[in-house]
Amino acid sequence: MRFITGLLFTFICLLPAGSMAQNKVTLSGKVIDQHGTPIAQATIAVEESSCTFAGKTQTTMNVITKLMYSIHRILGTLLCILFLMWFLSAFVMMYHRFPRVSAKEKMQKLEMLSQNGDSLPDISSVTARLPHGVKVRSTMLNLNAGHPEFSFSTTKGTFHFLADSAISRPPLDSEHLHRTAALWCSSPITRIDTLHSLDQWIPFAELKKEMPIYKIYFADEAGTQLYLSSQNGEALQFSYRSERFWAWLGAIPHWVYFTWLRQDTVLWTKTVIWLSALGCLMVIAGIWVTVDVWRKTHRNRHSKFSPYRKRWYHWHYVSGILFGIFVLTFTFSGMMSLADIPEWIHKPALKKGSPTRILHARGPRPENYPLDYRRVIAAYPQALQIEWRNFREHPYYIVKDSKNEYYIDAADSLPRPLQLSEEEILKGVESIYASQRDSSQHIPGIRISLLEHFETYYRDMSNMYRGRPQLPVWKIVVDDPDRSVYYIHPETGSIRHTDTSSRWKYWSYTALHRMRLPGLNSNATLRKTVLWVLLLGGTAVCITGVALSVNYIRRKCHKRQKHY
């Protein structure tokens, strides 16, 4: 917040000085603006006084216009480098993201569950070790250092148990560390650093609980680095030199991922929002100035497209006319990536996330699943991980191997693919509203239909879904105050929920910032082509703005030297 306060203080201090400049416009057809730049073919005569808000002859519109000139000049000088950095890094972000360990990479490093044969215990003997009275939300099984490990997410936290209660969780000693590192890279280890604070490649506050963290350097040409948690040996980061190089050109400047700032999530969020908000104000002022100049210089039919003779002013004006609106939407949508939709626009009737939680509530405990998880592993010997899941009272397993996911119905003792019926999906949605209404309220109208194509709020997410089926899907429209729509896949139990707030979020961020618009969603080449054109235009606005800002600062410094 100190940075934001300083920025605002600078703006307040510079505003009076910026507004003291004089503009002279004469009937001779020659106009000299506040920077001494000649503007041709003017048709009006106005002489602005040295005080922005003083003078009885000035109208309210003149005062606002003069204020907009000052705002655009001052904020443009302060933010021009930041904006150029945002636009240039956006090109890189289209192809290179911030390096992270993906779920797919982690999955490929796991060992097959079937290698333990008949040593896997009955699930009831494991759940018996949980504290009395806790409610299990999710359960997962995979191998940790060759030992089957059960992870339970409960109302009282997360618990990890090895299958054999006589064996404690293996510590991350030197042998375990080297064994885990070898799974990620076969090259020799050159150095291992013990980190007690976050660094550039793990700048996230939630990783502080994993301290100390081991940073492992490998002797290979790719410059591989691996970060392991000392708590459980989990890989927290894995990257190559090339990924880190592109991150410096893309994600780090674009997302303002500097360690000292990003590790404080609240400060980072507020900083990005405030910088974007000030940027929106700067662009709005620039659009106002552009309209004002156009209006004053195009009353004559024979006027030129641009009234400016100086090169940088000319191209800033032209690029602003062509791409100014995009620069505004790009800045605003970047802010909305972190900002919430204000409640004065829409206040959700249902709590955030509650519909999905309700649909996953009331599930049977793991020991009450009719289908034993060991039969599932026997049917899928390549399984690396298994999860206990449910859709209301209907239990099922998610089995994952190195390439695919399988959804297995656990409602009886024989493994078979999951297939939720239309009736139980409809009853599940009805239960959301039955649980949140009082006796005087009625369940809103619900319509269900089978959707066999993608649409605006149900996009193709193949890259994230590891090849799992996405169509056909049941679309449930609810006549509630939130205008809720649920997309529930019968073969996976996956749920997507949209309401008025999420649609506002979609259009204010996803659609505007990533060009996820109808007609572009289904054509990645066309969407990227549109992005390239728009980003090139926005970059042109920024480059010319930087040149003008440098010239403005030079003039100010030159005047000050003359004064002394």
Side-chain angles (χ1 to χ4, degrees):
M1 292 303 293
R2 290 181 180 178
F3 175 76
I4 297 174
T5 305
L7 187 63
L8 291 175
F9 179 79
T10 304
F11 168 70
I12 294 170
C13 291
L14 288 175
L15 182 57
S19 62
M20 293 293 287
Q22 292 185 346
N23 290 352
K24 290 184 183 273
V25 185
T26 68
L27 285 172
S28 63
K30 184 177 181 181
V31 184
I32 299 176
D33 70 3
Q34 298 169 358
H35 309 301
T37 304
I39 303 178
Q41 301 186 25
T43 58
I44 60 173
V46 179
E47 182 168 337
E48 296 180 352
S49 67
S50 60
C51 180
T52 304
F53 304 104
K56 297 181 180 180
T57 60
Q58 289 185 317
T59 63
T60 302
M61 189 61 68
N62 290 334
V63 174
I64 294 175
T65 299
K66 189 156 191 167
L67 178 63
M68 289 298 179
Y69 272 93
S70 297
I71 289 175
H72 186 62
R73 182 174 57 254
I74 295 168
L75 285 182
T77 302
L78 294 173
L79 300 177
C80 61
I81 298 297
L82 176 65
F83 265 62
L84 180 60
M85 178 182 72
W86 276 345
F87 274 90
L88 291 176
S89 59
F91 289 103
V92 180
M93 289 288 292
M94 292 171 64
Y95 306 98
H96 302 278
R97 313 290 284 185
F98 189 80
R100 289 210 183 190
V101 181
S102 67
K104 182 179 180 180
E105 287 178 312
K106 289 184 179 181
M107 190 66 59
Q108 291 173 344
K109 304 302 183 292
L110 295 177
E111 301 171 78
M112 289 187 293
L113 293 169
S114 58
Q115 71 182 33
N116 282 267
D118 299 329
S119 63
L120 293 171
D122 185 82
I123 187 65
S124 60
S125 65
V126 183
T127 55
R129 294 152 63 182
L130 289 167
H132 180 70
V134 300
K135 183 178 180 180
V136 179
R137 291 175 174 169
S138 64
T139 306
M140 182 184 300
L141 169 65
N142 54 252
L143 296 186
N144 183 355
H147 301 285
E149 182 180 52
F150 292 86
S151 300
F152 297 93
S153 176
T154 73
T155 52
K156 293 186 178 180
T158 302
F159 298 88
H160 302 276
F161 299 127
L162 294 181
D164 189 343
S165 59
I167 303 176
S168 60
R169 196 174 192 186
L172 188 63
D173 53 20
S174 178
E175 180 182 354
H176 187 184
L177 186 147
H178 282 78
R179 177 181 175 181
T180 303
L183 293 174
W184 289 87
C185 183
S186 59
S187 300
I189 296 175
T190 58
R191 189 170 90 246
I192 300 177
D193 291 342
T194 303
L195 305 182
H196 295 276
S197 60
L198 302 176
D199 74 2
Q200 182 59 64
W201 307 111
I202 49 168
F204 311 107
E206 61 268 21
L207 296 182
K208 290 181 179 179
K209 66 179 183 295
E210 308 292 344
M211 295 293 177
I213 293 173
Y214 299 112
K215 182 177 182 180
I216 304 172
Y217 300 81
F218 294 92
D220 60 353
E221 294 181 358
T224 307
Q225 293 180 4
L226 173 68
Y227 293 74
L228 295 180
S229 167
S230 63
Q231 306 301 314
N232 52 23
E234 180 184 359
L236 306 176
Q237 179 63 285
F238 181 74
S239 65
Y240 302 107
R241 185 186 296 109
S242 61
E243 292 178 313
R244 297 190 294 273
F245 169 79
W246 288 114
W248 278 112
L249 297 181
I252 294 174
H254 195 78
W255 288 337
V256 200
Y257 264 19
F258 303 108
T259 309
W260 62 270
L261 179 62
R262 184 60 182 88
Q263 65 183 340
D264 188 332
T265 304
V266 175
L267 176 61
W268 172 72
T269 301
K270 290 183 177 180
T271 299
V272 175
I273 290 175
W274 273 101
L275 287 174
S276 302
L278 290 173
C280 289
L281 178 60
M282 176 195 72
V283 181
I284 290 171
I287 293 173
W288 184 290
V289 169
T290 302
V291 172
D292 181 64
V293 172
W294 180 277
R295 179 179 59 85
K296 289 179 179 179
T297 61
H298 282 74
R299 291 179 179 178
N300 190 326
R301 293 181 180 179
H302 303 290
S303 61
K304 296 180 181 180
F305 182 80
S306 170
Y308 292 102
R309 295 177 181 176
K310 289 188 176 181
R311 178 180 55 183
W312 292 118
Y313 283 97
H314 169 80
W315 287 113
H316 191 62
Y317 177 76
V318 172
S319 60
I321 289 176
L322 297 176
F323 298 100
I325 297 298
F326 170 70
V327 174
L328 176 60
T329 58
F330 186 75
T331 307
F332 172 75
S333 57
M335 178 182 72
M336 292 308 299
S337 66
L338 295 176
D340 294 324
I341 299 298
E343 289 191 354
W344 59 266
I345 292 181
H346 177 71
K347 184 176 182 179
L350 295 175
K351 294 181 180 179
K352 185 177 181 180
S354 64
T356 303
R357 286 196 298 269
I358 293 172
L359 290 175
H360 289 310
R362 298 184 59 184
R365 286 178 62 88
E367 63 269 25
N368 294 330
Y369 276 43
L371 177 61
D372 192 312
Y373 78 96
R374 290 170 292 191
R375 296 195 66 174
V376 177
I377 294 174
Y380 295 88
Q382 303 299 318
L384 304 174
Q385 187 180 83
I386 184 170
E387 296 180 31
W388 283 248
R389 300 293 291 271
N390 67 285
F391 182 87
R392 297 294 290 166
E393 296 87 356
H394 195 134
Y396 63 94
Y397 293 104
I398 301 179
V399 180
K400 301 179 181 180
D401 61 21
S402 59
K403 296 181 179 179
N404 300 307
E405 295 180 1
Y406 306 94
Y407 296 77
I408 310 303
D409 197 329
D412 57 43
S413 59
L414 295 176
R416 56 185 175 82
L418 176 66
Q419 186 66 50
L420 299 174
S421 67
E422 177 182 355
E423 181 182 1
E424 61 184 325
I425 288 176
L426 192 58
K427 287 183 177 179
V429 175
E430 289 176 348
S431 68
I432 297 173
Y433 299 90
S435 65
Q436 300 201 16
R437 68 183 179 93
D438 54 41
S439 57
S440 62
Q441 295 176 318
H442 299 284
I443 294 178
I446 299 176
R447 303 184 302 277
I448 185 169
S449 60
L450 192 64
L451 184 67
E452 298 189 3
H453 58 83
F454 294 108
E455 55 185 28
T456 302
Y457 304 111
Y458 189 76
R459 295 183 288 112
D460 185 357
M461 307 283 280
S462 300
N463 293 336
M464 297 176 57
Y465 280 27
R466 301 185 76 234
R468 76 177 72 165
Q470 299 180 72
L471 292 173
V473 63
W474 289 107
K475 179 181 179 180
I476 303 95
V477 180
V478 183
D479 296 327
D480 64 348
D482 294 331
R483 297 174 58 203
S484 295
V485 178
Y486 299 84
Y487 300 92
I488 302 177
H489 198 283
E491 298 176 15
T492 65
S494 62
I495 304 165
R496 294 192 212 175
H497 170 239
T498 66
D499 57 12
T500 301
S501 290
S502 62
R503 284 187 282 271
W504 271 101
K505 188 75 171 181
Y506 179 88
W507 288 105
S508 62
Y509 165 56
T510 308
L512 294 178
H513 206 72
R514 303 175 62 192
M515 290 294 110
R516 291 289 186 181
L517 300 169
L520 297 180
N521 277 332
S522 58
N523 192 328
T525 302
L526 178 60
R527 185 175 68 86
K528 288 190 176 182
T529 301
V530 171
L531 271 172
W532 264 91
V533 172
L534 293 175
L535 289 174
L536 284 171
T539 303
V541 176
C542 296
I543 291 175
T544 54
V546 169
L548 291 175
S549 298
V550 170
N551 291 338
Y552 174 71
I553 294 173
R554 284 177 178 173
R555 287 197 305 270
K556 287 294 181 182
C557 294
H558 184 65
K559 288 181 179 179
R560 179 164 295 185
Q561 289 175 356
K562 274 190 173 182
H563 179 73
Y564 288 106

